[in-house]
């Protein structure tokens, strides 16, 4: 019984030991496998790390190369820019050297001419000295002869000798004086032609011929209907507010603005542009926009005047004269834009005055202002030259400038040297081929006379000549003119035009009277 109990215990111990040995063997085998797997995994990680390192190294090398290329390109670009600036500077220096060389050549020529004149004078002096010696010899001979003649005293001989010498010297002096005057005249004409030709060649001829129409382009023909309005009320409101004739015909996507006054056309064009962009087009809005545009144009006129005087280097000009200069942009003289003409005259005067050794700034100032009488704020009976002189004097201009403006059409005496220069430069600018059109100026003058005739009647507020002068629209003040007076006024104007003016075809006189009462609800 005891053996029976011990045997299972022994078997169990043996089995336990065998299990422990087997477990240890299995554990050792698993551990070896894990170690092997770990080594393989480590090798895989190392190989992947090496591969990633190589890839990263290549990427960095590529980035470095790209950066190097980019830096090199920027460096090359900087070098090219510096080389270009250096080249421009060299070109400017070369041009200045050429200009200096040309001026040096001109000075050399003038020096040579002066030396030639000096030599001529020396020769003439030698001739005079020679003549004087001959006269002295003749005088001695004459005295000896007189002494041989009986009955002549020394005083009588001396008197005859003096009289003879006076007559001979007088005749020789007259002859020499005539030669000197003729030589001076020829040289003066030559120098004058030279100065005028050089002045014209050095001034760029920028001509602007003014037209009487402006084309306003539209995005589509649908906008034409909005501009015309119901029964044409919008287009009538625009014409009444601006004094410009709107021609709406079959021309696609365009409206023609017709007026002899460029300032009115510009106001009408900008007003239409604002109205079309806003989309609200009705009579009240039209009047509001036209008024705002008119104020904007006034500011633009001042800006144009300031820019012009700055570009020409003219300083200290009165603000009113600056505004008048700006208004020249919207005026024309025989079809030639007045501002372009005045700028050209100013440049011509400056160059010509410098060539003659005068004050170029003063001459340029007079050249710019010589036609300010053509853009007066109020109509007057004075000519534009005299009116311009009065305006310049009113705003404190130099007396030489005032005289040059007033005398450039020979309506007053020229008292300063720059006055004939301004007159000559004005003629040069107007005489350039294609600069002016006589027919255009006659047409514009006829239109102005037509409007001024209407403004002479009492109660007339505004007058606009439209349809190329075939219609005169007169806006009267409702408080001063009744409906019956309007009919009589229209008839009287038509009769006055018929008797006092010359015109082609016929002119329609339309008198517009409108009474408005405005109150504000607050």
């Amino acid at each position: 019984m005891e053996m029976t109990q011990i045997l299972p215990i022994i078997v169990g111990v043996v089995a336990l030991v065998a299990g422990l040995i087997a477990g240890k063997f299995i554990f050792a085998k698993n551990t070896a496998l894990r170690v092997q797997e770990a080594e393989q995994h480590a090798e895989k990680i190392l190989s992947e790390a090496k591969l990633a390192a190589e890839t990263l190294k290549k990427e960095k090398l590529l980035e470095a190369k790209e950066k190097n290329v980019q830096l090199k390109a920027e460096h090359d670009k900087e070098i090219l820019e510096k080389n270009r600036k250096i080249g421009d500077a060299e070109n400017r220096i070369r041009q200045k050297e050429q200009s200096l060389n040309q001026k040096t050549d001109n000075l050399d020529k003038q020096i040579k001419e002066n030396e030639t004149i000096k030599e001529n004078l020396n020769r003439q002096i030698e001739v005079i000295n020679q003549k004087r010696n001959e006269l002295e010899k003749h005088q001695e001979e004459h005295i000896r002869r007189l002494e041989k003649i009986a009955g002549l005293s020394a005083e009588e001989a001396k008197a005859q000798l003096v009289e003879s010498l006076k007559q001979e010297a007088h005749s020789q002096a007259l002859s020499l004086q005539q030669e000197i005057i003729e030589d001076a005249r020829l040289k003066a004409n030559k120098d004058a032609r030279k100065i005028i030709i050089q002045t014209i060649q050095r001034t760029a001829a920028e001509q602007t011929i003014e037209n009487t129409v402006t084309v306003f382009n539209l995005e589509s023909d649908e906008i034409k209907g909005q501009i015309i309005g119901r029964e044409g009320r919008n287009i009538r409101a625009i014409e009444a507010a601006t004094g410009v004739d709107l021609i709406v015909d079959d021309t696609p996507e365009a409206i023609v603005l017709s007026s002899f006054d460029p300032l009115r056309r510009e106001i009408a064009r900008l007003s239409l542009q604002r109205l079309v962009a806003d989309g609200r087009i009705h009579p009240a809005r039209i009047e509001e926009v036209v008024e705002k545009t008119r104020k904007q144009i006034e500011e633009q006129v001042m800006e144009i005047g300031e820019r012009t005087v700055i570009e020409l280097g003219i300083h200290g000009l009165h603000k009113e004269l600056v505004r008048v200069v700006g208004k020249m942009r919207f005026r024309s003289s025989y079809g030639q834009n007045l501002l372009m003409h005045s700028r050209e005259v100013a440049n011509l005067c400056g160059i010509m005055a410098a060539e003659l050794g005068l004050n170029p700034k003063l001459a340029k100032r007079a050249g710019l202002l010589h036609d300010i009488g053509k853009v007066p704020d109020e109509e007057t009976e004075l000519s534009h030259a005299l009116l311009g002189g009065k305006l310049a004097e009113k705003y404190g201009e130099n007396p030489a400038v005032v005289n040059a403006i007033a005398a450039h059409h020979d309506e007053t005496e020229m008292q300063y040297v720059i006055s004939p220069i301004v007159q000559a430069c004005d003629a040069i600018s107007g005489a350039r081929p294609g600069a002016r059109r006589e027919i255009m100026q006659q047409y514009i003058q006829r239109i102005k006379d037509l409007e001024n005739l209407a403004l002479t009647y009492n109660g007339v507020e505004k007058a606009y000549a439209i349809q190329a002068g075939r219609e005169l629209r007169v806006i009267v003040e409702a408080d001063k003119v009744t409906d019956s007076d309007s009919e009589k006024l229209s008839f009287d104007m038509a009769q006055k035009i018929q008797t006092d003016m010359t015109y082609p075809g016929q002119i329609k006189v339309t008198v517009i009277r409108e009474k408005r009462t405005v109150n504000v609800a607050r």
Side-chain angles (χ1 to χ4, degrees):
M1 193 67 182
E2 293 178 358
M3 288 294 290
T4 306
Q5 293 177 349
I6 293 171
L7 186 60
I9 293 171
I10 294 170
V11 172
V13 172
V14 171
L16 178 61
V17 172
L20 289 172
I21 293 169
K24 184 176 181 182
F25 178 77
I26 293 168
F27 177 75
K29 187 176 181 180
N30 290 336
T31 301
L33 289 173
R34 289 180 180 176
V35 170
Q36 186 178 359
E37 289 177 356
E39 290 176 352
Q40 292 176 354
H41 186 63
E43 290 177 356
K44 184 178 181 181
I45 291 173
L46 286 173
S47 62
E48 290 177 353
K50 289 180 180 179
L51 182 62
E54 289 294 331
T55 304
L56 184 61
K57 180 179 179 182
K58 291 179 179 178
E59 289 177 354
K60 293 298 182 182
L61 286 173
L62 287 174
E63 289 179 0
K65 288 181 180 179
E66 289 177 356
K67 187 69 174 177
N68 186 28
V69 170
Q70 184 179 358
L71 291 173
K72 186 178 179 182
E74 291 177 355
H75 180 66
D76 293 341
K77 185 177 180 181
E78 289 178 359
I79 291 174
L80 288 174
E81 183 66 21
K82 288 181 180 178
N83 290 336
R84 185 185 64 79
K85 290 181 179 178
I86 291 171
D88 292 343
E90 290 177 351
N91 290 332
R92 287 196 296 272
I93 292 171
R94 194 177 297 110
Q95 290 176 358
K96 288 182 180 179
E97 289 178 351
Q98 292 176 355
S99 177
L100 288 173
N101 292 334
Q102 186 176 1
K103 290 181 179 179
T104 303
D105 294 339
N106 292 334
L107 287 173
D108 292 339
K109 290 180 181 178
Q110 291 180 359
I111 291 170
K112 290 179 180 178
E113 290 177 356
N114 291 334
E115 291 177 352
T116 303
I117 295 172
K118 186 176 180 181
E119 291 176 359
N120 291 334
L121 289 174
N122 290 331
R123 284 197 296 269
Q124 291 174 358
I125 291 171
E126 291 176 358
V127 171
I128 292 172
N129 291 330
Q130 185 178 359
K131 295 291 185 182
R132 185 183 294 113
N133 294 330
E134 292 177 358
L135 284 173
E136 290 175 355
K137 291 179 181 179
H138 286 304
Q139 181 181 4
E140 293 175 357
E141 181 69 21
H142 194 60
I143 290 172
R144 284 194 298 268
R145 290 178 180 177
L146 287 174
E147 288 176 351
K148 293 179 180 180
I149 300 174
L152 284 178
S153 64
E155 291 296 329
E156 291 174 347
K158 185 178 179 180
Q160 289 184 8
L161 180 61
V162 169
E163 186 65 24
S164 176
L165 288 174
K166 280 184 179 180
Q167 292 178 358
E168 186 174 357
H170 183 66
S171 62
Q172 289 184 355
L174 287 176
S175 177
L176 185 60
Q177 179 184 5
Q178 188 65 27
E179 291 178 2
I180 294 173
I181 291 173
E182 188 65 25
D183 183 67
R185 183 184 294 111
L186 291 174
K187 188 176 184 304
N189 290 334
K190 180 180 177 182
D191 289 344
R193 285 194 296 269
K194 178 181 175 182
I195 290 171
I196 291 173
I197 291 170
Q198 287 181 350
T199 302
I200 295 173
Q201 289 174 343
R202 289 170 60 185
T203 306
E206 181 182 354
Q207 303 296 347
T208 302
I209 301 299
E210 296 290 347
N211 297 317
T212 59
V213 296
T214 298
V215 178
F216 181 75
N217 296 314
L218 304 172
E219 294 181 358
S220 65
D221 285 338
E222 296 177 358
I223 303 176
K224 284 186 178 180
Q226 298 180 14
I227 294 174
I228 295 172
R230 183 182 301 174
E231 297 178 356
R233 63 173 188 170
N234 289 344
I235 201 168
R236 287 197 300 273
I238 295 172
E239 290 178 345
T242 62
V244 174
D245 186 18
L246 272 67
I247 302 173
V248 183
D249 53 17
D250 296 333
T251 306
E253 299 177 359
I255 291 178
V256 177
L257 309 178
S258 175
S259 174
F260 74 93
D261 191 336
L263 186 61
R264 292 184 193 172
R265 291 204 310 273
E266 184 66 11
I267 292 173
R269 186 186 69 81
L270 292 176
S271 300
L272 271 178
Q273 187 175 351
R274 287 186 174 183
L275 289 168
V276 170
D278 185 35
R280 295 177 296 163
I281 305 177
H282 52 81
R285 176 65 177 165
I286 288 168
E287 292 181 358
E288 178 184 353
V289 169
V290 169
E291 188 61 31
K292 288 182 179 179
T293 305
R294 189 172 280 112
K295 292 180 180 178
Q296 178 188 349
I297 290 293
E298 286 294 329
E299 296 175 358
Q300 184 180 348
V301 163
M302 198 68 186
E303 181 182 350
I304 291 171
E306 291 174 350
R307 186 167 62 248
T308 300
V309 297
I310 289 172
E311 289 175 357
L312 291 174
I314 296 173
H315 305 287
L317 203 64
H318 194 279
K319 287 187 177 180
E320 280 300 314
L321 293 180
V322 173
R323 186 178 67 84
V324 172
V325 171
K327 285 177 66 177
M328 290 182 184
R329 168 64 181 80
F330 300 99
R331 289 291 184 271
S332 61
S333 176
Y334 295 96
Q336 184 182 24
N337 184 271
L338 193 57
L339 180 59
M340 295 297 103
H341 166 65
S342 298
R343 285 171 63 105
E344 185 179 5
V345 172
N347 288 322
L348 288 167
C349 288
I351 296 171
M352 196 173 291
E355 291 286 345
L356 295 171
L358 303 175
N359 187 344
K361 292 185 177 180
L362 192 66
K364 188 180 288 187
R365 194 183 192 99
L368 177 65
L369 300 177
H370 80 284
D371 268 348
I372 58 174
K374 289 186 177 180
V375 285
D377 292 327
E378 297 180 358
E379 293 296 332
T380 178
E381 297 298 327
L382 289 175
S383 67
H384 77 272
L386 296 177
L387 178 59
K390 286 185 176 295
L391 287 174
E393 185 179 10
K394 177 182 177 182
Y395 295 116
E397 283 299 311
N398 189 294
V401 175
V402 174
N403 180 253
I405 295 171
H408 78 276
H409 282 312
D410 294 323
E411 293 173 305
T412 185
E413 183 182 357
M414 294 185 180
Q415 300 174 352
Y416 296 89
V417 182
I418 67 169
S419 298
I421 294 177
V422 172
Q423 186 183 52
C425 294
D426 179 37
I428 291 170
S429 176
R432 289 190 188 273
R436 294 186 169 185
R437 290 199 300 238
E438 291 285 344
I439 297 175
M440 175 65 70
Q441 185 65 18
Q442 293 173 2
Y443 160 74
I444 291 174
Q445 188 60 46
R446 179 168 59 84
I447 297 297
K448 286 184 177 179
D449 292 343
L450 189 62
E451 292 183 351
N452 292 335
L453 184 146
L455 291 172
T456 58
Y457 287 85
N458 293 328
V460 175
E461 183 179 2
K462 298 177 183 177
Y464 297 125
I466 61 175
Q467 295 286 351
R470 292 189 296 273
E471 181 177 355
L472 178 64
R473 290 194 178 178
V474 182
I475 301 173
V476 297
E477 299 179 23
D479 297 335
K480 296 181 180 180
V481 180
T482 63
D483 288 339
S484 59
D485 291 338
S486 300
E487 295 179 1
K488 184 176 183 301
L489 186 62
S490 176
F491 178 78
D492 292 343
M493 285 186 184
Q495 294 298 317
K496 183 77 170 175
I497 293 169
Q498 188 172 342
T499 55
D500 293 357
M501 295 187 66
T502 303
Y503 53 90
Q506 60 185 16
I507 298 176
K508 177 183 177 182
V509 180
T510 303
V511 176
I512 301 172
R513 177 181 180 273
E514 183 181 18
K515 177 69 175 177
R516 294 188 186 184
T517 303
V518 180
N519 289 296
V520 180
R522 302 183 183 278

